[in-house]
Amino acid sequence: DGGITQSPKYLFRKEGQNVTLSCEQNLNHDAMYWYRQDPGQGLRLIYYSQIVNDFQKGDIAEGYSVSREKKESFPLTVTSAQKNPTAFYLCAITPLTGPGDYGYTFGSGTRLTVV
Amino acid sequence: AQSVAQPEDQVNVAEGNPLTVKCTYSVSGNPYLFWYVQYPNRGLQFLLKYITGDNLVKGSYGFEAEFNKSQTSFHLKKPSALVSDSALYFCAVRALNSGNTPLVFGKGTRLSVIA
């Protein structure tokens, strides 16, 4: 997972609490993505950003918020409005310019558990 | 709309036997196709991709995939399975001229290689 760092690895949230997951990259990639992974449901897109100070909702954005104040950082906040936040959260990055299409580089993930 | 189907939740194969993990896709126009592998509590790792050119794509760890446009399939294959290949495999797609829209992932197929 070189070049992209997710922290913390494990996170516990109490009912009604907001928590923030960190995603940092040093590869100078343009685009950053947040996915949620649940058993049997694959990866579902929460938010993504292709440029600083701009981001787009994915398929399951409700109860989540993001910011992109710096190119290297794309934090995800899980708000109290997210009723079932227990999941594995994955951050991914990709460049958007160059000679060909690129796949994503993924972080090692954050496992969030509601206690 | 783009979509990916991985029809098998689980594939079991004996060590040394060939393996196939199936993927079919739906996009408007030509596709970019990817395979990723995930080990427990880790992020996804890139295996291989198809953009243009030869229909048989070779990737990491001895894996290959065959692009079949008429059947809209991109099945992952390996001639001789290893126990260490046991993991969760994801197929992903996006359209060639989709303006950098995010990848769409399948639900994943769990591969179990039995010694």
Side-chain angles (χ1 to χ4, degrees), chain B residues 41-94:
Chain B
N41 294 311
R42 300 300 303 273
L44 277 65
Q45 297 177 29
F46 171 79
L47 274 180
L48 50 80
K49 66 181 177 183
Y50 173 83
I51 299 177
T52 60
D54 290 340
N55 290 341
L56 186 64
V57 179
K58 293 190 182 296
S60 307
Y61 312 119
F63 284 93
E64 58 189 26
E66 185 169 14
F67 172 64
N68 187 317
K69 188 171 184 176
S70 63
Q71 298 186 4
T72 61
S73 67
F74 190 56
H75 300 332
L76 182 69
K77 300 181 179 184
K78 187 174 183 182
S80 178
L82 300 172
V83 172
S84 57
D85 293 330
S86 298
L88 189 56
Y89 291 81
F90 290 95
C91 182
V93 69
R94 74 172 184 86

Short mmCIF file of all heavy atoms in Angstrom, two decimals, chain B residues 41-94:
data_model
loop_
_atom_site.label_atom_id
_atom_site.label_comp_id
_atom_site.label_asym_id
_atom_site.label_seq_id
_atom_site.Cartn_x
_atom_site.Cartn_y
_atom_site.Cartn_z
N ASN B 41 -8.39 -8.39 5.89
CA ASN B 41 -8.10 -7.12 6.57
C ASN B 41 -7.07 -6.27 5.84
O ASN B 41 -6.32 -5.53 6.48
CB ASN B 41 -7.66 -7.37 8.01
CG ASN B 41 -8.80 -7.94 8.83
OD1 ASN B 41 -9.91 -7.42 8.82
ND2 ASN B 41 -8.53 -9.03 9.51
N ARG B 42 -7.02 -6.38 4.53
CA ARG B 42 -6.12 -5.58 3.73
C ARG B 42 -6.88 -4.87 2.63
O ARG B 42 -8.03 -5.18 2.32
CB ARG B 42 -5.04 -6.47 3.09
CG ARG B 42 -4.17 -7.23 4.07
CD ARG B 42 -3.41 -6.29 4.99
NE ARG B 42 -2.58 -5.33 4.27
CZ ARG B 42 -1.34 -5.57 3.89
NH1 ARG B 42 -0.79 -6.73 4.13
NH2 ARG B 42 -0.64 -4.63 3.26
N GLY B 43 -6.22 -3.89 2.02
CA GLY B 43 -6.79 -3.25 0.85
C GLY B 43 -6.70 -4.15 -0.37
O GLY B 43 -6.13 -5.23 -0.32
N LEU B 44 -7.28 -3.67 -1.47
CA LEU B 44 -7.24 -4.45 -2.71
C LEU B 44 -5.90 -4.23 -3.41
O LEU B 44 -5.35 -3.13 -3.42
CB LEU B 44 -8.37 -4.00 -3.65
CG LEU B 44 -9.74 -4.61 -3.40
CD1 LEU B 44 -10.32 -4.20 -2.07
CD2 LEU B 44 -10.68 -4.23 -4.54
N GLN B 45 -5.40 -5.32 -4.02
CA GLN B 45 -4.15 -5.24 -4.78
C GLN B 45 -4.45 -5.49 -6.25
O GLN B 45 -5.19 -6.41 -6.60
CB GLN B 45 -3.16 -6.29 -4.28
CG GLN B 45 -2.72 -6.12 -2.85
CD GLN B 45 -1.80 -7.25 -2.43
OE1 GLN B 45 -1.09 -7.82 -3.23
NE2 GLN B 45 -1.81 -7.56 -1.14
N PHE B 46 -3.84 -4.70 -7.11
CA PHE B 46 -4.03 -4.80 -8.55
C PHE B 46 -3.41 -6.11 -9.07
O PHE B 46 -2.28 -6.46 -8.72
CB PHE B 46 -3.36 -3.60 -9.21
CG PHE B 46 -3.27 -3.67 -10.70
CD1 PHE B 46 -4.36 -3.36 -11.49
CD2 PHE B 46 -2.09 -4.03 -11.32
CE1 PHE B 46 -4.28 -3.40 -12.86
CE2 PHE B 46 -1.98 -4.07 -12.70
CZ PHE B 46 -3.08 -3.76 -13.47
N LEU B 47 -4.18 -6.83 -9.91
CA LEU B 47 -3.67 -8.05 -10.54
C LEU B 47 -3.36 -7.83 -12.02
O LEU B 47 -2.29 -8.18 -12.50
CB LEU B 47 -4.70 -9.17 -10.44
CG LEU B 47 -4.71 -10.03 -9.18
CD1 LEU B 47 -5.80 -11.08 -9.29
CD2 LEU B 47 -3.36 -10.67 -8.94
N LEU B 48 -4.35 -7.30 -12.75
CA LEU B 48 -4.17 -7.09 -14.18
C LEU B 48 -5.28 -6.20 -14.71
O LEU B 48 -6.28 -5.97 -14.02
CB LEU B 48 -4.16 -8.42 -14.94
CG LEU B 48 -5.28 -9.42 -14.69
CD1 LEU B 48 -6.53 -9.07 -15.44
CD2 LEU B 48 -4.83 -10.83 -15.05
N LYS B 49 -5.08 -5.72 -15.94
CA LYS B 49 -6.08 -4.87 -16.56
C LYS B 49 -6.12 -5.11 -18.07
O LYS B 49 -5.13 -5.53 -18.67
CB LYS B 49 -5.80 -3.39 -16.29
CG LYS B 49 -4.52 -2.87 -16.94
CD LYS B 49 -4.30 -1.40 -16.61
CE LYS B 49 -2.97 -0.91 -17.19
NZ LYS B 49 -2.72 0.52 -16.82
N TYR B 50 -7.27 -4.83 -18.65
CA TYR B 50 -7.45 -4.83 -20.09
C TYR B 50 -7.89 -3.43 -20.52
O TYR B 50 -8.86 -2.88 -19.98
CB TYR B 50 -8.50 -5.85 -20.53
CG TYR B 50 -8.82 -5.72 -22.00
CD1 TYR B 50 -8.01 -6.32 -22.95
CD2 TYR B 50 -9.89 -4.95 -22.44
CE1 TYR B 50 -8.28 -6.18 -24.30
CE2 TYR B 50 -10.16 -4.80 -23.78
CZ TYR B 50 -9.35 -5.42 -24.70
OH TYR B 50 -9.60 -5.25 -26.04
N ILE B 51 -7.15 -2.88 -21.49
CA ILE B 51 -7.55 -1.59 -22.06
C ILE B 51 -7.82 -1.78 -23.55
O ILE B 51 -8.93 -1.56 -24.03
CB ILE B 51 -6.48 -0.52 -21.81
CG1 ILE B 51 -6.29 -0.32 -20.30
CG2 ILE B 51 -6.88 0.80 -22.47
CD1 ILE B 51 -5.20 0.65 -19.92
N THR B 52 -6.80 -2.16 -24.30
CA THR B 52 -6.97 -2.47 -25.71
C THR B 52 -5.93 -3.55 -26.05
O THR B 52 -5.08 -3.89 -25.24
CB THR B 52 -6.72 -1.26 -26.63
OG1 THR B 52 -5.38 -0.80 -26.42
CG2 THR B 52 -7.70 -0.14 -26.37
N GLY B 53 -6.00 -4.07 -27.27
CA GLY B 53 -4.97 -4.99 -27.70
C GLY B 53 -5.37 -6.45 -27.55
O GLY B 53 -6.54 -6.81 -27.71
N ASP B 54 -4.39 -7.28 -27.20
CA ASP B 54 -4.61 -8.72 -27.12
C ASP B 54 -5.70 -9.05 -26.12
O ASP B 54 -5.76 -8.47 -25.02
CB ASP B 54 -3.33 -9.45 -26.70
CG ASP B 54 -2.28 -9.43 -27.80
OD1 ASP B 54 -2.67 -9.21 -28.97
OD2 ASP B 54 -1.10 -9.62 -27.50
N ASN B 55 -6.52 -10.02 -26.49
CA ASN B 55 -7.62 -10.39 -25.61
C ASN B 55 -7.15 -11.15 -24.38
O ASN B 55 -7.86 -11.19 -23.37
CB ASN B 55 -8.64 -11.22 -26.37
CG ASN B 55 -9.40 -10.39 -27.38
OD1 ASN B 55 -9.44 -9.17 -27.29
ND2 ASN B 55 -10.02 -11.06 -28.33
N LEU B 56 -5.98 -11.75 -24.43
CA LEU B 56 -5.43 -12.47 -23.28
C LEU B 56 -4.43 -11.55 -22.59
O LEU B 56 -3.43 -11.15 -23.15
CB LEU B 56 -4.76 -13.77 -23.73
CG LEU B 56 -4.27 -14.66 -22.60
CD1 LEU B 56 -5.45 -15.15 -21.76
CD2 LEU B 56 -3.47 -15.84 -23.15
N VAL B 57 -4.75 -11.24 -21.35
CA VAL B 57 -3.93 -10.32 -20.56
C VAL B 57 -3.22 -11.10 -19.47
O VAL B 57 -3.86 -11.87 -18.75
CB VAL B 57 -4.81 -9.23 -19.92
CG1 VAL B 57 -3.97 -8.30 -19.08
CG2 VAL B 57 -5.57 -8.46 -20.99
N LYS B 58 -1.94 -10.90 -19.34
CA LYS B 58 -1.19 -11.57 -18.27
C LYS B 58 -0.92 -10.58 -17.14
O LYS B 58 -0.65 -9.39 -17.38
CB LYS B 58 0.12 -12.12 -18.83
CG LYS B 58 -0.11 -13.25 -19.84
CD LYS B 58 1.18 -13.95 -20.19
CE LYS B 58 0.93 -15.04 -21.23
NZ LYS B 58 0.06 -16.13 -20.69
N GLY B 59 -1.00 -11.08 -15.91
CA GLY B 59 -0.82 -10.21 -14.76
C GLY B 59 0.12 -10.79 -13.73
O GLY B 59 0.95 -11.63 -14.01
N SER B 60 -0.08 -10.33 -12.50
CA SER B 60 0.80 -10.73 -11.40
C SER B 60 0.51 -12.15 -10.95
O SER B 60 -0.61 -12.65 -11.12
CB SER B 60 0.60 -9.78 -10.22
OG SER B 60 0.76 -8.43 -10.60
N TYR B 61 1.50 -12.79 -10.33
CA TYR B 61 1.38 -14.08 -9.64
C TYR B 61 0.89 -15.20 -10.57
O TYR B 61 0.27 -16.16 -10.10
CB TYR B 61 0.45 -13.96 -8.44
CG TYR B 61 0.74 -12.78 -7.55
CD1 TYR B 61 -0.21 -11.80 -7.34
CD2 TYR B 61 1.98 -12.63 -6.94
CE1 TYR B 61 0.05 -10.70 -6.54
CE2 TYR B 61 2.26 -11.54 -6.14
CZ TYR B 61 1.30 -10.57 -5.94
OH TYR B 61 1.56 -9.49 -5.15
N GLY B 62 1.14 -15.09 -11.87
CA GLY B 62 0.76 -16.14 -12.81
C GLY B 62 -0.68 -16.10 -13.27
O GLY B 62 -1.14 -16.99 -13.99
N PHE B 63 -1.41 -15.07 -12.86
CA PHE B 63 -2.80 -14.94 -13.30
C PHE B 63 -2.88 -14.35 -14.70
O PHE B 63 -2.01 -13.60 -15.14
CB PHE B 63 -3.59 -14.04 -12.34
CG PHE B 63 -3.96 -14.72 -11.06
CD1 PHE B 63 -3.15 -14.62 -9.94
CD2 PHE B 63 -5.12 -15.47 -10.98
CE1 PHE B 63 -3.50 -15.26 -8.76
CE2 PHE B 63 -5.49 -16.10 -9.80
CZ PHE B 63 -4.66 -15.99 -8.69
N GLU B 64 -3.95 -14.70 -15.38
CA GLU B 64 -4.26 -14.12 -16.68
C GLU B 64 -5.77 -13.99 -16.80
O GLU B 64 -6.52 -14.60 -16.03
CB GLU B 64 -3.70 -14.98 -17.82
CG GLU B 64 -4.18 -16.40 -17.83
CD GLU B 64 -3.43 -17.26 -18.84
OE1 GLU B 64 -2.27 -16.95 -19.17
OE2 GLU B 64 -4.01 -18.26 -19.30
N ALA B 65 -6.19 -13.18 -17.75
CA ALA B 65 -7.63 -13.00 -17.96
C ALA B 65 -7.88 -12.86 -19.45
O ALA B 65 -7.06 -12.31 -20.19
CB ALA B 65 -8.15 -11.77 -17.22
N GLU B 66 -9.03 -13.39 -19.86
CA GLU B 66 -9.39 -13.36 -21.27
C GLU B 66 -10.57 -12.45 -21.51
O GLU B 66 -11.66 -12.67 -20.93
CB GLU B 66 -9.71 -14.77 -21.77
CG GLU B 66 -9.97 -14.83 -23.27
CD GLU B 66 -10.02 -16.25 -23.78
OE1 GLU B 66 -10.11 -17.19 -22.97
OE2 GLU B 66 -9.98 -16.42 -25.02
N PHE B 67 -10.37 -11.46 -22.33
CA PHE B 67 -11.44 -10.53 -22.69
C PHE B 67 -12.23 -11.10 -23.86
O PHE B 67 -11.64 -11.47 -24.88
CB PHE B 67 -10.85 -9.17 -23.07
CG PHE B 67 -11.84 -8.20 -23.65
CD1 PHE B 67 -12.89 -7.73 -22.89
CD2 PHE B 67 -11.72 -7.76 -24.96
CE1 PHE B 67 -13.80 -6.82 -23.41
CE2 PHE B 67 -12.63 -6.85 -25.50
CZ PHE B 67 -13.67 -6.39 -24.72
N ASN B 68 -13.53 -11.20 -23.71
CA ASN B 68 -14.39 -11.71 -24.76
C ASN B 68 -15.49 -10.68 -25.00
O ASN B 68 -16.44 -10.58 -24.21
CB ASN B 68 -14.99 -13.07 -24.38
CG ASN B 68 -15.75 -13.71 -25.52
OD1 ASN B 68 -16.51 -13.06 -26.22
ND2 ASN B 68 -15.54 -15.00 -25.71
N LYS B 69 -15.36 -9.93 -26.08
CA LYS B 69 -16.28 -8.82 -26.31
C LYS B 69 -17.70 -9.32 -26.61
O LYS B 69 -18.69 -8.75 -26.15
CB LYS B 69 -15.79 -7.95 -27.47
CG LYS B 69 -16.59 -6.67 -27.64
CD LYS B 69 -15.95 -5.74 -28.64
CE LYS B 69 -16.71 -4.43 -28.72
NZ LYS B 69 -16.05 -3.45 -29.62
N SER B 70 -17.80 -10.39 -27.37
CA SER B 70 -19.13 -10.87 -27.75
C SER B 70 -19.90 -11.41 -26.56
O SER B 70 -21.13 -11.30 -26.51
CB SER B 70 -19.01 -11.96 -28.83
OG SER B 70 -18.32 -13.08 -28.33
N GLN B 71 -19.20 -11.97 -25.61
CA GLN B 71 -19.85 -12.48 -24.40
C GLN B 71 -19.79 -11.49 -23.24
O GLN B 71 -20.26 -11.81 -22.15
CB GLN B 71 -19.22 -13.83 -23.99
CG GLN B 71 -19.38 -14.92 -25.03
CD GLN B 71 -18.87 -16.27 -24.56
OE1 GLN B 71 -18.45 -16.43 -23.41
NE2 GLN B 71 -18.89 -17.24 -25.45
N THR B 72 -19.22 -10.34 -23.46
CA THR B 72 -19.00 -9.30 -22.43
C THR B 72 -18.46 -9.93 -21.15
O THR B 72 -19.01 -9.73 -20.04
CB THR B 72 -20.28 -8.49 -22.14
OG1 THR B 72 -21.31 -9.35 -21.64
CG2 THR B 72 -20.74 -7.76 -23.38
N SER B 73 -17.38 -10.71 -21.31
CA SER B 73 -16.81 -11.39 -20.15
C SER B 73 -15.33 -11.08 -20.03
O SER B 73 -14.66 -10.70 -21.00
CB SER B 73 -17.03 -12.89 -20.26
OG SER B 73 -16.28 -13.43 -21.32
N PHE B 74 -14.84 -11.26 -18.82
CA PHE B 74 -13.42 -11.02 -18.52
C PHE B 74 -13.05 -11.97 -17.39
O PHE B 74 -12.78 -11.58 -16.26
CB PHE B 74 -13.21 -9.56 -18.13
CG PHE B 74 -11.76 -9.14 -18.02
CD1 PHE B 74 -10.89 -9.30 -19.08
CD2 PHE B 74 -11.28 -8.53 -16.87
CE1 PHE B 74 -9.56 -8.89 -19.01
CE2 PHE B 74 -9.96 -8.11 -16.76
CZ PHE B 74 -9.10 -8.30 -17.83
N HIS B 75 -12.99 -13.26 -17.69
CA HIS B 75 -12.75 -14.28 -16.67
C HIS B 75 -11.28 -14.34 -16.29
O HIS B 75 -10.39 -14.31 -17.15
CB HIS B 75 -13.20 -15.65 -17.18
CG HIS B 75 -14.65 -15.72 -17.55
ND1 HIS B 75 -15.61 -14.94 -16.96
CD2 HIS B 75 -15.30 -16.51 -18.45
CE1 HIS B 75 -16.80 -15.21 -17.47
NE2 HIS B 75 -16.64 -16.16 -18.39
N LEU B 76 -11.05 -14.50 -15.01
CA LEU B 76 -9.70 -14.63 -14.45
C LEU B 76 -9.32 -16.10 -14.42
O LEU B 76 -10.12 -16.93 -13.99
CB LEU B 76 -9.68 -14.04 -13.04
CG LEU B 76 -8.34 -14.04 -12.31
CD1 LEU B 76 -7.37 -13.06 -12.96
CD2 LEU B 76 -8.55 -13.69 -10.84
N LYS B 77 -8.06 -16.38 -14.81
CA LYS B 77 -7.64 -17.78 -14.88
C LYS B 77 -6.22 -17.94 -14.37
O LYS B 77 -5.43 -17.00 -14.37
CB LYS B 77 -7.71 -18.28 -16.34
CG LYS B 77 -9.09 -18.21 -16.94
CD LYS B 77 -9.13 -18.74 -18.35
CE LYS B 77 -10.54 -18.66 -18.90
NZ LYS B 77 -10.65 -19.26 -20.26
N LYS B 78 -5.95 -19.17 -13.95
CA LYS B 78 -4.58 -19.54 -13.58
C LYS B 78 -4.42 -21.02 -13.87
O LYS B 78 -5.28 -21.82 -13.49
CB LYS B 78 -4.30 -19.22 -12.12
CG LYS B 78 -2.84 -19.41 -11.73
CD LYS B 78 -2.57 -18.93 -10.31
CE LYS B 78 -1.09 -19.08 -9.99
NZ LYS B 78 -0.76 -18.67 -8.60
N PRO B 79 -3.34 -21.43 -14.53
CA PRO B 79 -3.20 -22.82 -14.94
C PRO B 79 -3.07 -23.80 -13.77
O PRO B 79 -3.53 -24.93 -13.86
CB PRO B 79 -1.93 -22.82 -15.79
CG PRO B 79 -1.74 -21.41 -16.20
CD PRO B 79 -2.28 -20.57 -15.09
N SER B 80 -2.44 -23.36 -12.68
CA SER B 80 -2.19 -24.26 -11.56
C SER B 80 -2.34 -23.48 -10.26
O SER B 80 -1.52 -22.61 -9.94
CB SER B 80 -0.78 -24.85 -11.68
OG SER B 80 -0.50 -25.69 -10.58
N ALA B 81 -3.36 -23.78 -9.51
CA ALA B 81 -3.68 -23.00 -8.30
C ALA B 81 -2.75 -23.35 -7.15
O ALA B 81 -2.32 -24.52 -6.98
CB ALA B 81 -5.13 -23.25 -7.89
N LEU B 82 -2.47 -22.34 -6.33
CA LEU B 82 -1.69 -22.51 -5.11
C LEU B 82 -2.58 -22.21 -3.89
O LEU B 82 -3.51 -21.38 -3.99
CB LEU B 82 -0.50 -21.54 -5.10
CG LEU B 82 0.51 -21.67 -6.23
CD1 LEU B 82 1.51 -20.52 -6.17
CD2 LEU B 82 1.23 -23.00 -6.17
N VAL B 83 -2.24 -22.83 -2.77
CA VAL B 83 -3.00 -22.54 -1.54
C VAL B 83 -2.95 -21.05 -1.24
O VAL B 83 -3.93 -20.45 -0.76
CB VAL B 83 -2.47 -23.37 -0.37
CG1 VAL B 83 -3.10 -22.94 0.94
CG2 VAL B 83 -2.71 -24.87 -0.61
N SER B 84 -1.81 -20.42 -1.53
CA SER B 84 -1.64 -18.99 -1.25
C SER B 84 -2.50 -18.10 -2.15
O SER B 84 -2.58 -16.89 -1.91
CB SER B 84 -0.17 -18.60 -1.40
OG SER B 84 0.29 -18.92 -2.70
N ASP B 85 -3.13 -18.67 -3.17
CA ASP B 85 -4.05 -17.90 -4.01
C ASP B 85 -5.41 -17.69 -3.33
O ASP B 85 -6.24 -16.92 -3.81
CB ASP B 85 -4.28 -18.60 -5.35
CG ASP B 85 -3.04 -18.62 -6.22
OD1 ASP B 85 -2.22 -17.69 -6.11
OD2 ASP B 85 -2.90 -19.59 -7.00
N SER B 86 -5.65 -18.38 -2.24
CA SER B 86 -6.91 -18.25 -1.52
C SER B 86 -7.10 -16.82 -1.05
O SER B 86 -6.28 -16.28 -0.30
CB SER B 86 -6.94 -19.20 -0.33
OG SER B 86 -6.84 -20.54 -0.74
N ALA B 87 -8.16 -16.18 -1.51
CA ALA B 87 -8.39 -14.75 -1.23
C ALA B 87 -9.73 -14.37 -1.84
O ALA B 87 -10.44 -15.20 -2.41
CB ALA B 87 -7.27 -13.90 -1.82
N LEU B 88 -10.04 -13.09 -1.73
CA LEU B 88 -11.26 -12.52 -2.32
C LEU B 88 -10.87 -11.76 -3.59
O LEU B 88 -9.95 -10.94 -3.56
CB LEU B 88 -11.92 -11.59 -1.31
CG LEU B 88 -13.30 -11.03 -1.58
CD1 LEU B 88 -14.30 -12.14 -1.83
CD2 LEU B 88 -13.74 -10.16 -0.40
N TYR B 89 -11.55 -12.05 -4.68
CA TYR B 89 -11.20 -11.47 -5.98
C TYR B 89 -12.33 -10.58 -6.48
O TYR B 89 -13.51 -10.96 -6.45
CB TYR B 89 -10.90 -12.57 -7.00
CG TYR B 89 -9.61 -13.30 -6.68
CD1 TYR B 89 -9.59 -14.31 -5.73
CD2 TYR B 89 -8.41 -12.95 -7.31
CE1 TYR B 89 -8.40 -14.95 -5.40
CE2 TYR B 89 -7.23 -13.59 -7.00
CZ TYR B 89 -7.23 -14.59 -6.05
OH TYR B 89 -6.05 -15.23 -5.73
N PHE B 90 -11.94 -9.39 -6.96
CA PHE B 90 -12.91 -8.43 -7.46
C PHE B 90 -12.61 -8.07 -8.91
O PHE B 90 -11.47 -7.78 -9.27
CB PHE B 90 -12.86 -7.13 -6.65
CG PHE B 90 -13.39 -7.25 -5.26
CD1 PHE B 90 -12.54 -7.49 -4.19
CD2 PHE B 90 -14.75 -7.12 -5.01
CE1 PHE B 90 -13.03 -7.60 -2.90
CE2 PHE B 90 -15.25 -7.22 -3.73
CZ PHE B 90 -14.39 -7.46 -2.66
N CYS B 91 -13.66 -8.04 -9.70
CA CYS B 91 -13.62 -7.54 -11.06
C CYS B 91 -14.17 -6.12 -11.06
O CYS B 91 -15.10 -5.81 -10.28
CB CYS B 91 -14.47 -8.45 -11.95
SG CYS B 91 -14.49 -8.04 -13.70
N ALA B 92 -13.62 -5.23 -11.91
CA ALA B 92 -14.09 -3.84 -11.95
C ALA B 92 -14.08 -3.35 -13.40
O ALA B 92 -13.30 -3.81 -14.23
CB ALA B 92 -13.22 -2.95 -11.09
N VAL B 93 -14.96 -2.39 -13.68
CA VAL B 93 -15.10 -1.89 -15.05
C VAL B 93 -15.44 -0.41 -15.06
O VAL B 93 -16.03 0.12 -14.11
CB VAL B 93 -16.22 -2.66 -15.79
CG1 VAL B 93 -17.59 -2.33 -15.21
CG2 VAL B 93 -16.21 -2.38 -17.29
N ARG B 94 -15.01 0.27 -16.12
CA ARG B 94 -15.62 1.52 -16.48
C ARG B 94 -15.50 1.69 -17.98
O ARG B 94 -14.67 1.06 -18.61
CB ARG B 94 -15.06 2.71 -15.72
CG ARG B 94 -13.69 3.19 -16.11
CD ARG B 94 -13.43 4.49 -15.36
NE ARG B 94 -12.16 5.09 -15.72
CZ ARG B 94 -12.00 5.91 -16.76
NH1 ARG B 94 -13.02 6.21 -17.54
NH2 ARG B 94 -10.82 6.43 -17.00
#
